Tab-separated table of all heavy atoms in Angstrom:
chain	number	residue	atom	x	y	z
A	116	GLN	N	0.821	-8.826	-12.775
A	116	GLN	CA	2.282	-8.819	-12.817
A	116	GLN	C	2.760	-8.952	-14.238
A	116	GLN	O	2.051	-9.508	-15.095
A	116	GLN	CB	2.853	-10.025	-12.062
A	116	GLN	CG	2.765	-9.949	-10.575
A	116	GLN	CD	3.365	-11.164	-9.919
A	116	GLN	OE1	2.688	-11.824	-9.143
A	116	GLN	NE2	4.624	-11.484	-10.183
A	131	ILE	N	10.454	-6.173	-11.824
A	131	ILE	CA	9.236	-6.936	-12.101
A	131	ILE	C	8.067	-5.994	-11.828
A	131	ILE	O	7.885	-5.533	-10.701
A	131	ILE	CB	9.109	-8.194	-11.219
A	131	ILE	CG1	10.301	-9.122	-11.434
A	131	ILE	CG2	7.801	-8.922	-11.550
A	131	ILE	CD1	10.292	-10.366	-10.548
A	132	ASN	N	7.310	-5.706	-12.873
A	132	ASN	CA	6.215	-4.761	-12.733
A	132	ASN	C	5.001	-5.394	-12.062
A	132	ASN	O	4.672	-6.558	-12.287
A	132	ASN	CB	5.802	-4.216	-14.103
A	132	ASN	CG	6.849	-3.315	-14.701
A	132	ASN	OD1	7.644	-2.718	-13.987
A	132	ASN	ND2	6.870	-3.215	-16.016
A	133	CYS	N	4.324	-4.577	-11.259
A	133	CYS	CA	3.099	-5.019	-10.596
A	133	CYS	C	2.160	-3.830	-10.505
A	133	CYS	O	2.545	-2.764	-10.029
A	133	CYS	CB	3.403	-5.541	-9.198
A	133	CYS	SG	1.926	-5.886	-8.197
A	144	PHE	N	2.261	-6.394	-0.967
A	144	PHE	CA	3.279	-7.363	-0.578
A	144	PHE	C	3.983	-7.937	-1.807
A	144	PHE	O	3.390	-8.037	-2.884
A	144	PHE	CB	2.636	-8.548	0.171
A	144	PHE	CG	1.809	-8.169	1.365
A	144	PHE	CD1	0.485	-7.782	1.212
A	144	PHE	CD2	2.351	-8.203	2.642
A	144	PHE	CE1	-0.291	-7.433	2.306
A	144	PHE	CE2	1.584	-7.855	3.754
A	144	PHE	CZ	0.269	-7.474	3.580
A	145	TRP	N	5.228	-8.320	-1.590
A	145	TRP	CA	5.920	-9.209	-2.524
A	145	TRP	C	6.308	-10.455	-1.748
A	145	TRP	O	6.921	-10.380	-0.671
A	145	TRP	CB	7.174	-8.567	-3.111
A	145	TRP	CG	6.890	-7.700	-4.292
A	145	TRP	CD1	6.803	-6.339	-4.333
A	145	TRP	CD2	6.671	-8.138	-5.638
A	145	TRP	NE1	6.522	-5.905	-5.608
A	145	TRP	CE2	6.441	-6.991	-6.432
A	145	TRP	CE3	6.649	-9.390	-6.265
A	145	TRP	CZ2	6.198	-7.054	-7.808
A	145	TRP	CZ3	6.400	-9.454	-7.627
A	145	TRP	CH2	6.181	-8.290	-8.379
A	146	TYR	N	5.908	-11.617	-2.308
A	146	TYR	CA	6.281	-12.908	-1.749
A	146	TYR	C	7.231	-13.605	-2.722
A	146	TYR	O	7.154	-13.414	-3.938
A	146	TYR	CB	5.059	-13.798	-1.541
A	146	TYR	CG	4.184	-13.390	-0.384
A	146	TYR	CD1	3.137	-12.490	-0.570
A	146	TYR	CD2	4.398	-13.892	0.894
A	146	TYR	CE1	2.332	-12.102	0.486
A	146	TYR	CE2	3.601	-13.515	1.954
A	146	TYR	CZ	2.569	-12.617	1.743
A	146	TYR	OH	1.777	-12.243	2.795
A	147	VAL	N	8.100	-14.465	-2.169
A	147	VAL	CA	9.009	-15.248	-2.998
A	147	VAL	C	8.807	-16.718	-2.676
A	147	VAL	O	8.591	-17.095	-1.514
A	147	VAL	CB	10.485	-14.816	-2.779
A	147	VAL	CG1	10.907	-14.945	-1.323
A	147	VAL	CG2	11.428	-15.615	-3.666
A	155	GLN	N	7.413	-17.088	1.097
A	155	GLN	CA	8.043	-16.271	2.128
A	155	GLN	C	7.769	-14.808	1.805
A	155	GLN	O	7.855	-14.392	0.648
A	155	GLN	CB	9.554	-16.488	2.143
A	155	GLN	CG	9.989	-17.903	2.419
A	155	GLN	CD	11.494	-18.048	2.314
A	155	GLN	OE1	12.238	-17.083	2.506
A	155	GLN	NE2	11.955	-19.243	2.018
A	156	LEU	N	7.460	-14.047	2.835
A	156	LEU	CA	7.286	-12.620	2.630
A	156	LEU	C	8.634	-11.993	2.313
A	156	LEU	O	9.589	-12.141	3.077
A	156	LEU	CB	6.675	-11.974	3.872
A	156	LEU	CG	6.492	-10.462	3.804
A	156	LEU	CD1	5.472	-10.096	2.740
A	156	LEU	CD2	6.066	-9.913	5.167
A	157	LEU	N	8.715	-11.289	1.218
A	157	LEU	CA	9.963	-10.623	0.836
A	157	LEU	C	9.966	-9.187	1.358
A	157	LEU	O	10.925	-8.742	1.971
A	157	LEU	CB	10.118	-10.634	-0.683
A	157	LEU	CG	11.361	-9.997	-1.250
A	157	LEU	CD1	12.624	-10.674	-0.739
A	157	LEU	CD2	11.330	-10.021	-2.774
A	158	LEU	N	8.898	-8.461	1.087
A	158	LEU	CA	8.787	-7.099	1.599
A	158	LEU	C	7.336	-6.649	1.506
A	158	LEU	O	6.526	-7.285	0.842
A	158	LEU	CB	9.695	-6.140	0.838
A	158	LEU	CG	9.600	-6.104	-0.696
A	158	LEU	CD1	8.482	-5.197	-1.147
A	158	LEU	CD2	10.918	-5.638	-1.300
A	174	ALA	N	10.630	-2.031	-3.258
A	174	ALA	CA	9.406	-1.716	-3.987
A	174	ALA	C	8.753	-0.533	-3.304
A	174	ALA	O	8.714	-0.469	-2.071
A	174	ALA	CB	8.451	-2.909	-4.008
A	183	PHE	N	3.434	-1.247	-7.717
A	183	PHE	CA	4.335	-1.690	-6.636
A	183	PHE	C	5.405	-2.548	-7.288
A	183	PHE	O	5.542	-3.737	-7.038
A	183	PHE	CB	3.519	-2.478	-5.600
A	183	PHE	CG	4.235	-2.743	-4.297
A	183	PHE	CD1	4.779	-1.705	-3.553
A	183	PHE	CD2	4.321	-4.032	-3.786
A	183	PHE	CE1	5.417	-1.938	-2.339
A	183	PHE	CE2	4.953	-4.288	-2.572
A	183	PHE	CZ	5.496	-3.240	-1.850
A	184	HIS	N	6.223	-1.931	-8.116
A	184	HIS	CA	7.224	-2.657	-8.904
A	184	HIS	C	8.376	-3.123	-8.028
A	184	HIS	O	8.893	-2.349	-7.208
A	184	HIS	CB	7.776	-1.761	-10.019
A	184	HIS	CG	6.718	-1.203	-10.919
A	184	HIS	ND1	5.599	-1.897	-11.293
A	184	HIS	CD2	6.615	0.018	-11.516
A	184	HIS	CE1	4.852	-1.148	-12.097
A	184	HIS	NE2	5.445	0.019	-12.245
A	185	LEU	N	8.817	-4.338	-8.266
A	185	LEU	CA	9.935	-4.917	-7.516
A	185	LEU	C	11.236	-4.661	-8.258
A	185	LEU	O	11.321	-4.912	-9.471
A	185	LEU	CB	9.727	-6.424	-7.329
A	185	LEU	CG	10.795	-7.156	-6.521
A	185	LEU	CD1	10.755	-6.718	-5.060
A	185	LEU	CD2	10.590	-8.672	-6.621
A	198	TYR	N	8.225	-15.024	-8.000
A	198	TYR	CA	7.882	-13.841	-7.220
A	198	TYR	C	6.413	-13.499	-7.437
A	198	TYR	O	5.930	-13.421	-8.580
A	198	TYR	CB	8.784	-12.665	-7.621
A	198	TYR	CG	10.223	-12.893	-7.216
A	198	TYR	CD1	11.071	-13.668	-8.008
A	198	TYR	CD2	10.723	-12.374	-6.024
A	198	TYR	CE1	12.379	-13.916	-7.620
A	198	TYR	CE2	12.031	-12.616	-5.640
A	198	TYR	CZ	12.851	-13.389	-6.440
A	198	TYR	OH	14.144	-13.642	-6.038
A	199	PHE	N	5.715	-13.284	-6.311
A	199	PHE	CA	4.289	-12.973	-6.357
A	199	PHE	C	4.043	-11.602	-5.731
A	199	PHE	O	4.455	-11.346	-4.605
A	199	PHE	CB	3.474	-14.004	-5.572
A	199	PHE	CG	3.468	-15.377	-6.154
A	199	PHE	CD1	4.368	-16.329	-5.714
A	199	PHE	CD2	2.550	-15.722	-7.129
A	199	PHE	CE1	4.360	-17.615	-6.245
A	199	PHE	CE2	2.530	-17.000	-7.666
A	199	PHE	CZ	3.448	-17.944	-7.224
A	200	CYS	N	3.328	-10.779	-6.461
A	200	CYS	CA	2.835	-9.522	-5.917
A	200	CYS	C	1.442	-9.786	-5.341
A	200	CYS	O	0.687	-10.599	-5.909
A	200	CYS	CB	2.775	-8.482	-7.038
A	200	CYS	SG	2.334	-6.810	-6.519
Side-chain angles (χ1 to χ4, degrees):
Chain A
Q116 287 181 236
I131 301 177
N132 291 335
C133 171
F144 305 84
W145 276 101
Y146 287 90
V147 58
Q155 300 176 26
L156 178 66
L157 181 60
L158 53 84
F183 192 55
H184 304 324
L185 182 68
Y198 292 82
F199 293 95
C200 186

